[in-house]
């Protein structure tokens, strides 16, 4: 099943923009070629939708082989389009939009240009990296008490070890799992990761595009990483304040033997803080008790899965989006099977514009209810761009920050009160701060990690660092940007990336998450400003605002017809780029509170160099 999902995801992330207009005879040839390519893409997308989306039985090897053969046929077609585009001479193209069309057409072959190597090696490497988190190969910590019935059978990082990080306050136990999981996966992760890095370099060379341009291909931006660096500089002062506060609380909890009160935070404790942000017993429990949070799951206790989807759809309809048609409701919206509902079920979205498919989870809790607001943004985005030529279906991954903005509105006390879910609960200022603090730790502590993960790939691909020096480079970046150190001395031969580094690596998922978080807050603030609400930004609800829906649809309907910057300008006309100021404004109340607390406790802001060695 995992292999099938990887094949689907590979095929649904293939396009970036290439908009064409007529300018000269040669440009006319390009236009004709692009039009024919559009027809070919429509057929490909339909083939994927009809032949690849249907559920598979993992044991039905004959069926899996048939699907793989279909994918290979589609891949060959994409490679042919790339090669045909490469036959045009860019120097003869007068119209810049025509030139851009050819430049992007050359890239649509993606990693498929590697031919049989992709299917025989790279695809297997990608699947192997994904399975690092679910392989049950770690012996339980003998001193721990967090496994049910003290089961001594081997466990996996996800969900077993992750759950331990959510509940354990034993630093030795956390350190054990941090180190053991990496030691178990050292060779396997190194081999597979190295193969994938080389695959991107080779594919970029075949396509005759710079490797970083290929890596950031779905942003169609000359120097996209510089946008991310700018955000990091903007949020750095606030991050250092929050880091100092959290480090102080960890030091009070664990003492000098576990962490230096003026140094970086050990990574196993940093991960503990992230996973326990919404749990009882987190580092902020003294100031903002978990028991005083709103009873969020009780708000949706009367929802079944379809009722939850309907409630989310009501939000989008209030913005002026059309209701779902019968074909989507009857054929493209499905419930996960029972197997998928074991553990932490996650919805699946397959954007095969002009059709989009969604599998939702049967269980309903508040977290999944909010996530559905993000998932449906992808469905509506696909609907708004479906009438475009298929070669501009790509949306620069903007459906994700749109979803973040909608979630930020939908989770506010104002919205929960307005739709009647929180009618029996009173949100006090203390409750608002409690909620905001936990959101802030989860968001602001994650952003430097997404940045470091992106920079690791950025520096590997452009040759700044070689593979044999990557672990030392990784820990340099973690200290520099996140104030995090390893729990113990580490080997240069190791690769200490966390399991989430490898998630959807071929899709540049870490960059996607960084952009989604930052741009989501920018979109949210723009929508709140359009709503002219006087409340604090963290309690703004743009539900029922048709002007917001108008701006959203204006951006969605462009697909990738215009550049990334011109596209987001439909929502951010005054400053269309990545900026951290909206996020900082959203969390201003807790940042101010932390600043005052740090002054009172006379804390060091920033961190000394780590004493841990990479040898």
């Amino acid at each position: 099943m995992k292999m099938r999902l990887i094949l689907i995801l590979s095929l649904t992330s293939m396009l970036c923009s290439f908009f064409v207009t007529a300018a000269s005879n040669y440009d006319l040839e390009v236009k004709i070629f692009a039009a024919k390519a559009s027809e070919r893409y429509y057929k490909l997308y339909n083939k994927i939708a009809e032949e690849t989306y249907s559920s598979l039985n993992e044991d039905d090897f004959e069926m899996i082989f048939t699907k793989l053969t279909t994918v290979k046929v589609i891949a060959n077609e994409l490679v042919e389009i790339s090669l045909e585009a490469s036959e045009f001479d860019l120097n003869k193209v007068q119209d810049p939009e025509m030139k851009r069309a050819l430049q992007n057409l050359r890239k649509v072959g993606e990693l498929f240009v590697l031919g049989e190597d992709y299917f025989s090696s790279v695809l297997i490497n990608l699947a192997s990296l994904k399975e690092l988190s679910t392989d049950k190969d770690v012996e339980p910590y003998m001193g721990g008490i967090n496994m049910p019935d003290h089961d001594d059978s081997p466990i996996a990082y996800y969900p077993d070890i992750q759950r331990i990080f959510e509940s354990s306050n034993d630093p030795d136990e956390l350190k054990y799992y941090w180190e053991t999981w990496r030691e178990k996966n050292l060779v396997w992760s190194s081999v597979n990761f190295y193969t994938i890095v080389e695959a991107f370099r080779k594919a970029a060379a075949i396509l005759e595009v710079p490797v970083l341009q290929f890596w950031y291909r779905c942003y169609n931006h000359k120097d996209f990483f510089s946008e991310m660096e700018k955000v990091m500089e903007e949020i750095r002062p606030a991050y250092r304040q929050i880091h100092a506060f959290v480090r102080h609380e960890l030091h009070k909890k664990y003492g000098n033997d576990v962490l230096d009160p003026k140094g970086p935070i050990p990574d196993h404790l940093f991960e503990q803080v992230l996973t326990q942000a919404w749990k009882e017993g987190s580092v902020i429990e003294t100031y903002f008790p978990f028991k005083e949070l709103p009873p969020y799951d009780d708000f949706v206790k009367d929802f079944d899965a379809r009722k939850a989807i309907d409630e989310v759809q009501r939000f989008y309809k209030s913005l002026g989006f059309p209701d779902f048609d019968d074909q989507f409701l009857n054929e493209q919206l499905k419930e996960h099977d029972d197997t998928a509902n074991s553990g932490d079920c996650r919805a699946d979205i397959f954007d095969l514009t002009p059709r989009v498919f969604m599998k939702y989870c049967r269980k309903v809790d508040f977290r999944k209810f909010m996530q559905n607001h993000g998932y449906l943004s992808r469905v509506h985005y696909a609907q708004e761009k479906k009438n475009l030529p298929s070669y501009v279906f790509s949306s620069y991954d903007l459906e994700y920050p749109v979803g973040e903005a909608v979630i930020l509105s939908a989770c506010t006390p104002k919205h929960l009160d307005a739709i009647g879910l929180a009618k029996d609960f009173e949100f006090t200022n203390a409750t608002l701060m409690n909620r905001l603090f936990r959101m802030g730790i989860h968001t602001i502590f994650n952003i430097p990690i997404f940045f470091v993960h992106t920079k690791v790939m950025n520096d590997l691909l452009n040759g700044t660092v070689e593979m044999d020096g990557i672990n030392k480079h990784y820990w340099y970046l973690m200290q520099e940007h996140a104030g995090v150190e390893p729990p113990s001395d580490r080997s240069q031969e190791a690769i200490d990336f966390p399991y989430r580094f490898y998630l959807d690596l071929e899709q540049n998922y870490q960059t996607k998450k960084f952009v989604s978080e930052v741009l989501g807050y920018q979109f949210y603030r723009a929508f709140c400003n359009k709503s002219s609400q006087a409340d604090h930004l963290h309690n703004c609800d743009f539900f029922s605002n048709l002007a917001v829906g108008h701006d959203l649809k204006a951006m969605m309907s462009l697909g990738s017809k215009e550049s990334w910057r011109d596209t987001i300008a439909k929502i951010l006309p005054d400053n269309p780029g990545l900026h951290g100021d909206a996020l900082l404004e959203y969390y201003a109340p807790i940042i101010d509170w932390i600043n005052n607390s740090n002054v009172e406790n006379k804390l060091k802001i920033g961190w000394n160099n780590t004493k841990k060695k990479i040898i």
Side-chain angles (χ1 to χ4, degrees):
M1 186 67 70
K2 291 179 182 177
M3 181 71 74
R4 180 178 66 83
L5 290 177
I6 294 170
L7 292 172
I8 295 170
L9 291 171
S10 296
L11 287 164
T12 57
S13 60
M14 295 170 181
L15 294 176
C16 287
S17 63
F18 37 91
F19 176 54
V20 296
T21 57
S24 66
N25 289 336
Y26 200 76
D27 290 347
L28 182 59
E29 291 183 40
V30 177
K31 182 178 181 180
I32 293 172
F33 169 69
K36 291 181 178 179
S38 179
E39 295 177 6
R40 292 161 76 178
Y41 269 110
Y42 271 114
K43 293 178 181 179
L44 290 174
Y45 272 64
N46 284 332
K47 185 181 289 292
I48 296 169
E50 293 169 359
E51 300 186 20
T52 313
Y53 175 72
S54 60
S55 297
L56 292 175
N57 182 337
E58 283 189 290
D59 296 326
D60 190 349
F61 293 108
E62 183 178 351
M63 180 65 73
I64 291 175
F65 179 79
T66 301
K67 300 296 182 181
L68 181 60
T69 302
T70 299
V71 172
K72 287 184 176 181
V73 171
I74 296 170
N76 289 336
E77 180 80 5
L78 290 168
V79 172
E80 285 181 14
I81 292 173
S82 292
L83 296 177
E84 290 169 15
S86 298
E87 294 176 0
F88 288 91
D89 186 349
L90 290 175
N91 294 323
K92 293 182 180 180
V93 181
Q94 299 177 21
D95 191 306
E97 292 178 345
M98 293 290 185
K99 184 172 292 188
R100 179 178 160 203
L102 286 178
Q103 288 171 334
N104 286 280
L105 276 167
R106 291 179 175 185
K107 294 182 289 186
V108 299
E110 297 262 329
L111 292 175
F112 292 134
V113 298
L114 299 174
E116 191 60 33
D117 286 347
Y118 175 81
F119 293 97
S120 63
S121 178
V122 176
L123 199 58
I124 295 173
N125 296 135
L126 289 168
S128 297
L129 287 178
K130 289 176 183 290
E131 291 174 0
L132 291 178
S133 66
T134 55
D135 287 340
K136 292 183 177 294
D137 56 3
V138 176
E139 297 296 326
Y141 177 63
M142 297 307 295
I145 58 173
N146 288 290
M147 292 302 296
D149 302 322
H150 302 284
D151 188 355
D152 60 358
S153 57
I155 60 176
Y157 198 97
Y158 182 83
D160 306 315
I161 296 175
Q162 186 179 45
R163 288 173 179 165
I164 292 171
F165 269 88
E166 290 175 354
S167 59
S168 176
N169 286 305
D170 182 347
D172 291 331
E173 180 181 32
L174 299 178
K175 181 180 178 182
Y176 166 81
Y177 283 118
W178 190 99
E179 293 177 339
T180 305
W181 181 81
R182 284 161 175 80
E183 290 165 3
K184 286 284 186 181
N185 293 293
L186 170 59
V187 175
W188 199 229
S189 62
S190 301
V191 171
N192 288 292
F193 179 61
Y194 176 78
T195 303
I196 292 168
V197 171
E198 287 302 303
F200 270 97
R201 289 173 174 165
K202 185 177 180 181
I206 293 172
L207 295 170
E208 298 182 342
V209 297
V211 66
L212 288 183
Q213 182 180 330
F214 183 52
W215 180 243
Y216 298 110
R217 58 200 176 283
C218 282
Y219 298 102
N220 195 30
H221 197 294
K222 184 178 181 180
D223 187 17
F224 193 77
F225 188 70
S226 64
E227 295 271 336
M228 299 175 65
E229 290 179 309
K230 179 176 59 181
V231 171
M232 287 300 297
E233 287 300 315
E234 291 171 344
I235 71 171
R236 189 182 307 277
Y239 177 79
R240 287 159 66 91
Q241 292 284 343
I242 298 175
H243 180 281
F245 172 82
V246 168
R247 179 183 58 199
H248 179 63
E249 295 305 311
L250 287 170
H251 183 258
K252 287 196 301 184
K253 188 172 185 177
Y254 295 121
N256 289 324
D257 291 340
V258 176
L259 79 162
D260 181 349
K262 296 184 178 180
I265 297 173
D267 197 26
H268 63 304
L269 299 184
F270 189 86
E271 185 174 344
Q272 177 199 36
V273 171
L274 280 173
T275 56
Q276 293 185 7
W278 285 96
K279 302 293 181 179
E280 190 169 9
S282 71
V283 293
I284 66 170
E285 190 73 17
T286 302
Y287 312 96
F288 301 101
F290 178 83
K291 65 182 180 181
E292 294 180 7
L293 279 172
Y296 285 116
D297 286 342
D298 287 348
F299 293 166
V300 295
K301 64 182 180 181
D302 296 328
F303 283 179
D304 60 25
R306 281 305 292 265
K307 184 176 180 180
I309 295 289
D310 291 342
E311 184 62 45
V312 174
Q313 174 65 349
R314 186 158 74 98
F315 192 112
Y316 285 93
K317 288 172 64 177
S318 80
L319 302 179
F321 285 92
D323 206 349
F324 295 135
D325 58 31
D326 290 339
Q327 180 179 352
F328 176 79
L329 293 173
N330 297 328
E331 300 176 15
Q332 295 161 222
L333 182 64
K334 302 178 181 179
E335 185 175 84
H336 266 303
D337 58 30
D338 291 334
T339 302
N341 279 277
S342 60
D344 185 18
C345 170
R346 300 183 183 187
D348 290 321
I349 299 284
F350 301 103
D351 182 0
L352 304 173
T353 308
R355 283 186 280 178
V356 61
F357 298 81
M358 177 175 176
K359 283 189 174 182
Y360 58 88
C361 300
R362 183 173 304 161
K363 180 182 177 182
V364 178
D365 57 28
F366 188 79
R367 177 169 169 259
K368 288 183 174 60
F369 178 56
M370 287 297 113
Q371 288 174 337
N372 282 337
H373 287 78
Y375 295 137
L376 288 196
S377 74
R378 297 167 63 183
V379 176
H380 283 289
Y381 214 122
Q383 293 298 310
E384 291 300 316
K385 63 188 170 97
K386 68 180 181 181
N387 294 321
L388 291 167
S390 57
Y391 50 80
V392 286
F393 276 164
S394 172
S395 56
Y396 301 124
D397 288 334
L398 290 174
E399 58 267 43
Y400 298 98
V402 168
E404 288 291 333
V406 173
I407 290 172
L408 287 172
S409 180
C411 74
T412 57
K414 176 177 284 189
H415 181 72
L416 297 174
D417 281 336
I419 64 174
L421 293 185
K423 59 181 181 296
D424 297 325
F425 183 84
E426 181 181 356
F427 288 89
T428 64
N429 287 334
T431 303
L432 288 170
M433 283 291 287
N434 197 333
R435 162 187 174 269
L436 197 62
F437 217 128
R438 294 172 188 272
M439 288 178 65
I441 287 179
H442 176 79
T443 301
I444 298 174
F445 258 37
N446 262 312
I447 287 176
I449 305 304
F450 297 140
F451 177 82
V452 168
H453 291 174
T454 297
K455 186 162 176 58
V456 165
M457 288 299 297
N458 189 90
D459 293 350
L460 268 174
L461 291 172
N462 71 7
T464 299
V465 62
E466 295 300 326
M467 188 65 71
D468 58 4
I470 193 58
N471 208 43
K472 189 171 185 177
H473 188 61
Y474 171 69
W475 285 115
Y476 165 77
L477 294 175
M478 286 292 284
Q479 176 179 278
E480 178 73 14
H481 298 288
V484 173
E485 65 180 4
S488 55
D489 293 345
R490 304 297 295 164
S491 169
Q492 290 192 61
E493 283 72 38
I495 293 185
D496 287 333
F497 307 149
Y499 84 95
R500 61 177 174 161
F501 176 89
Y502 302 110
L503 294 176
D504 297 326
L505 182 63
E506 76 281 10
Q507 299 178 51
N508 199 351
Y509 181 74
Q510 300 300 307
T511 302
K512 181 187 298 185
K513 286 295 294 181
F514 183 99
V515 174
S516 176
E517 293 285 1
V518 174
L519 198 55
Y521 283 86
Q522 292 178 254
F523 284 173
Y524 175 69
R525 184 176 64 177
F527 298 151
C528 289
N529 289 340
K530 180 144 292 202
S531 302
S532 301
Q533 296 191 25
D535 284 350
H536 293 294
L537 184 60
H538 59 266
N539 196 25
C540 157
D541 177 26
F542 53 79
F543 181 80
S544 295
N545 192 294
L546 294 177
V548 168
H550 177 271
D551 287 354
L552 265 175
K553 288 188 284 187
M555 182 181 75
M556 291 175 168
S557 63
L558 287 176
S560 56
K561 187 177 180 181
E562 297 181 5
S563 70
W564 175 80
R565 196 177 295 277
D566 289 340
T567 301
I568 66 173
K570 299 301 178 184
I571 293 176
L572 306 171
D574 298 329
N575 201 359
L578 281 181
H579 299 282
D581 56 341
L583 184 146
L584 295 175
E585 180 181 345
Y586 186 94
Y587 291 109
I590 65 165
I591 293 172
D592 291 342
W593 187 94
I594 287 173
N595 289 350
N596 293 330
S597 175
N598 289 345
V599 170
E600 291 177 7
N601 289 302
K602 300 179 181 179
L603 300 187
K604 174 184 173 63
I605 308 304
W607 45 85
N608 297 332
N609 289 333
T610 181
K611 296 178 183 178
K612 303 298 192 304
K613 298 177 182 178
I614 311 299
I615 53 178

